[in-house]
Amino acid sequence: MKKKIVAMTLSAVMAIGLLAGCSQTAETSAPATTSGSESENTAAEDTTAASDSLSGTITAAGSSALKPLADDAAEAFYELHPDVVITIDAGGSGEGLTQVSDGTVDIGNSDVEASEKLDEAQAAELVDHQVCVITMAAIVNPDVAEAGVTDLSKEELIGIFTGEITNWSEVGGPDEDIVLVTRPTSSGTRATFQKYALDGNEEASNASMETDDSGVLLQNVRDTKGAIGYVALSYLVDDPGVATVAIDGVEPTLENTYNGTYPVWTFEHMYTKGEPNEVVGAFLDYIMSDEYGTRMEELGYGVSSKMTTTEH
């Protein structure tokens, strides 16, 4: 599998690949120059026809938590259908939902249901495609974990993120100020964490380190002593240089999400305005297929059918 597509250059990469794909198609379709049975030549022609059965463009925007999955699935889908060009941007769940509602993108990626970000009439026009389960984890700078803070009660977590607890020594850590790395109110990741980790309590804001780019947030936590934030498990698959925090003794893992013991998770949504067209529909079907499910888990996302409960 290739490395993940970089967000801002995805369209350019696929455009280059599209030219290469067209060139390969022309060569494959040309009369055979090597010996082979008629059935072998027919099979090759059938394979070419299958790979060229779809063509068009797909645009998507929204959740930064869902973006690594969308990027990876887009690359894999492109290998099957090189005449489909896919462009994926982040911007936050609210932005993605607004753009798909306005018709400026084909897919709005969101950590939350459309009704939480749009008015009733706008939300009613959208079709929800639940593509996977995502788990959110609290993360801290290594110095905090090394000093003993690897597990927090939900009450302690709420106190930290609402600003009532301001020093790590109050929860058994070092005598060091707590630095919140927060997300804007448009963030679906923030909405999910607030609902399930903070029991709906309003998160304090640190404007100096506020970002809805999960990669930037991860770096800020890694580089700032005393820092705490939260990201999706998909950003923690490779060694991220930060430490995760258990909640009431339960680690943030896919296994604990599946068995219902870890509380901070949600279904991820890809919204379309009305039913998707053939190309967009094929892409959505591919992401939710058994074929792609194993890869989904490798990236840190959960397969919806493996959940033992759909309620928190």
Side-chain angles (χ1 to χ4, degrees), residues 130-153:
Q130 287 187 2
V131 295
C132 66
V133 172
I134 196 163
T135 302
M136 309 296 182
I139 57 172
V140 294
N141 183 274
D143 79 312
V144 176
E146 289 166 5
V149 181
T150 58
D151 184 8
L152 293 169
S153 68

Side-chain angles (χ1 to χ4, degrees), residues 58-80:
I58 300 172
T59 54
S63 166
S64 64
L66 187 54
K67 192 174 185 304
L69 177 70
D71 283 347
D72 184 84
E75 185 172 345
F77 189 78
Y78 174 73
E79 293 293 329
L80 299 174

Side-chain angles (χ1 to χ4, degrees), residues 92-225:
S93 297
E95 182 64 23
L97 289 168
T98 298
Q99 288 192 41
V100 73
S101 176
D102 292 343
T104 55
V105 296
D106 299 309
I107 300 172
N109 298 329
S110 180
D111 309 323
V112 297
E113 294 184 0
S115 58
E116 295 188 29
K117 295 292 183 181
L118 303 175
D119 64 38
E120 184 177 351
Q122 290 175 309
E125 294 180 321
L126 302 184
V127 176
D128 185 6
H129 309 272
Q130 287 187 2
V131 295
C132 66
V133 172
I134 196 163
T135 302
M136 309 296 182
I139 57 172
V140 294
N141 183 274
D143 79 312
V144 176
E146 289 166 5
V149 181
T150 58
D151 184 8
L152 293 169
S153 68
K154 184 175 277 192
E155 183 179 354
E156 290 172 331
L157 199 66
I158 292 171
I160 288 170
F161 276 98
T162 57
E164 294 179 6
I165 297 175
T166 59
N167 192 289
W168 285 111
S169 63
E170 298 177 63
V171 292
D175 183 10
E176 184 173 69
D177 288 341
I178 295 173
V179 180
L180 296 178
V181 182
T182 59
R183 294 172 180 269
T185 55
S186 61
S187 168
T189 301
R190 171 174 172 154
T192 298
F193 193 81
Q194 181 177 329
K195 183 175 182 178
Y196 298 116
L198 307 183
D199 288 348
N201 288 278
E202 190 64 33
E203 179 183 328
S205 179
N206 178 7
S208 66
M209 284 193 175
E210 190 165 277
T211 177
D212 198 33
D213 185 318
S214 293
V216 172
L217 188 147
L218 188 68
Q219 181 177 343
N220 286 343
V221 173
R222 182 176 62 237
D223 296 345
T224 307
K225 286 189 177 299

Side-chain angles (χ1 to χ4, degrees), residues 232-298:
L233 285 190
S234 52
Y235 284 87
L236 302 172
V237 173
D238 299 322
D239 183 9
V242 297
T244 59
V245 178
I247 300 177
D248 291 322
V250 182
E251 297 287 344
T253 65
L254 277 184
E255 180 182 0
N256 289 336
T257 301
Y258 285 150
N259 65 31
T261 59
Y262 185 77
V264 193
W265 61 270
T266 190
F267 289 106
E268 284 294 301
H269 312 266
M270 286 186 165
Y271 279 97
T272 56
K273 191 170 184 177
E275 294 298 332
N277 62 34
E278 180 186 15
V279 177
V280 174
F283 178 55
L284 293 171
D285 287 343
Y286 176 73
I287 292 176
M288 293 183 284
S289 68
D290 291 339
E291 175 186 0
Y292 189 68
T294 299
R295 176 59 180 164
M296 183 181 288
E297 291 183 317
E298 290 174 355

